[in-house]
Amino acid sequence: MPENNLNNFEFHINNFNIQESKCLKIFYDYIKLVDNVHIELSCKVKASELFPCRFNIWYNNNYTTNLNSCIQLIKKYDQLDYDINIDPSRFFQIINSRFEMNRVGRLILGVDFRENLPDSRIKLWLALKNYPGFIIDILKQGKFDPYMIKLVQHNMFLFGFDFCFNGNCYLKVYPVLFKQDFANPLIKAVLNRWCSKRSVELMQLCDRFHIGMNEKSKRMVIHFHPFDWLQFIARLNEISHNFVLNQIKDKCKNRAATGSVFISLLEQEIADNNLVNFNFYYT
């Protein structure tokens, strides 16, 4: 593990006063052993409640080996405490012997630890390249709007799973789009159909963004990657000032690089001018 990753990890722990736990100890021991990755730091806010014990590992190569390593880590958490029940059957139903690992262009593992253990989860994402048949099948299995296939561009598609510690497992999908895609009339038409005018305006402040949906709720979450995240938050404050988001900004503004931040918002909250739930990711 590169030293800067460990430094970033420890910065986040100290900056948000994250307490030691069995879950965090296992994760820390794991990241010390993995190579050629980078660690992304994260906070989730639900209403005014802050959940800062969140980290993502971005693997840069050896996806088959690292995916197996992720599965072993998930099993270790499942055996950690009687309050933890992780059911990976949904994952193995989809990532089975017919799945072509050579189509994977990126692998990401995430953790979101809560004081109430059953509310915690482990997340696993795979970015696919040139795998259209599988993408269509994923959208069908999750009963997502088939119109979403029109947003799949650049032969890229991100999907993943939430392994909740309460036994639930949910499939998520995230078509990846770039600012230049607004030049495509079809993409523009789909975004105008699905998203509010204000959401589309916020997309213009980003070099890329993901349209995320969960098979459970089907609520649209837009993951924005702004050119300048401080200016982006200033624009959000004009829409709906969120005290906790601005606290996070103040804690991270001297650490998070200009192009390293993702901010995730519910599309409906953007449309309603009422931003109360969001995720903040930085490196």
Side-chain angles (χ1 to χ4, degrees), residues 204-237:
Q204 305 281 348
L205 303 177
C206 303
D207 67 337
R208 66 186 185 275
F209 51 92
H210 308 159
I211 306 292
M213 285 191 183
N214 182 323
E215 68 176 337
K216 175 189 176 185
S217 68
K218 298 298 192 296
R219 294 192 303 175
M220 184 185 301
V221 179
I222 306 177
H223 304 267
F224 297 96
H225 187 261
F227 292 109
D228 186 320
W229 70 272
L230 291 173
Q231 288 186 8
F232 189 83
I233 289 180
R235 178 68 185 98
L236 295 182
N237 284 331

Side-chain angles (χ1 to χ4, degrees), residues 155-269:
N155 297 314
M156 289 176 57
F157 185 76
L158 181 67
F159 77 104
F161 302 85
D162 274 6
F163 298 96
C164 303
F165 283 17
N166 63 8
N168 292 324
C169 181
Y170 300 114
L171 173 67
K172 292 182 172 181
V173 296
Y174 310 81
V176 181
L177 295 167
F178 294 83
K179 185 174 182 181
Q180 59 264 32
D181 292 322
F182 283 104
N184 183 328
L186 177 60
I187 296 297
K188 196 170 183 179
V190 174
L191 292 175
N192 286 330
R193 171 190 171 185
W194 275 6
C195 302
S196 62
K197 180 180 179 181
R198 185 165 286 108
S199 291
V200 174
E201 289 173 354
L202 290 173
M203 292 172 187
Q204 305 281 348
L205 303 177
C206 303
D207 67 337
R208 66 186 185 275
F209 51 92
H210 308 159
I211 306 292
M213 285 191 183
N214 182 323
E215 68 176 337
K216 175 189 176 185
S217 68
K218 298 298 192 296
R219 294 192 303 175
M220 184 185 301
V221 179
I222 306 177
H223 304 267
F224 297 96
H225 187 261
F227 292 109
D228 186 320
W229 70 272
L230 291 173
Q231 288 186 8
F232 189 83
I233 289 180
R235 178 68 185 98
L236 295 182
N237 284 331
E238 295 173 4
I239 298 171
S240 172
H241 189 279
N242 185 290
F243 178 73
V244 185
L245 176 58
N246 283 278
Q247 279 188 320
I248 294 172
K249 178 199 73 174
D250 291 339
K251 282 178 173 289
C252 299
K253 64 183 179 183
N254 294 324
R255 184 79 175 204
T258 300
S260 72
V261 169
F262 269 99
I263 298 174
S264 304
L265 303 167
L266 284 165
E267 203 290 323
Q268 190 60 56
E269 291 188 0

Side-chain angles (χ1 to χ4, degrees), residues 8 39 69 107 136 251 274 282:
N8 288 341
I39 303 295
S69 171
L107 174 68
I136 291 171
K251 282 178 173 289
N274 185 31
Y282 70 106

Side-chain angles (χ1 to χ4, degrees), residues 119-131:
D119 292 338
S120 302
R121 58 194 168 138
I122 296 178
K123 300 169 286 181
L124 199 56
W125 298 276
L126 298 95
L128 302 179
K129 52 185 181 180
N130 302 312
Y131 209 174

Side-chain angles (χ1 to χ4, degrees), residues 35-40 56-61 106-109 125 158 208 210 262 283:
D35 294 318
N36 202 11
V37 301
H38 82 261
I39 303 295
E40 186 175 53
N56 296 332
I57 304 174
W58 290 68
Y59 301 88
N60 296 319
N61 58 13
R106 207 64 188 267
L107 174 68
I108 307 113
L109 173 92
W125 298 276
L158 181 67
R208 66 186 185 275
H210 308 159
F262 269 99
T283 55

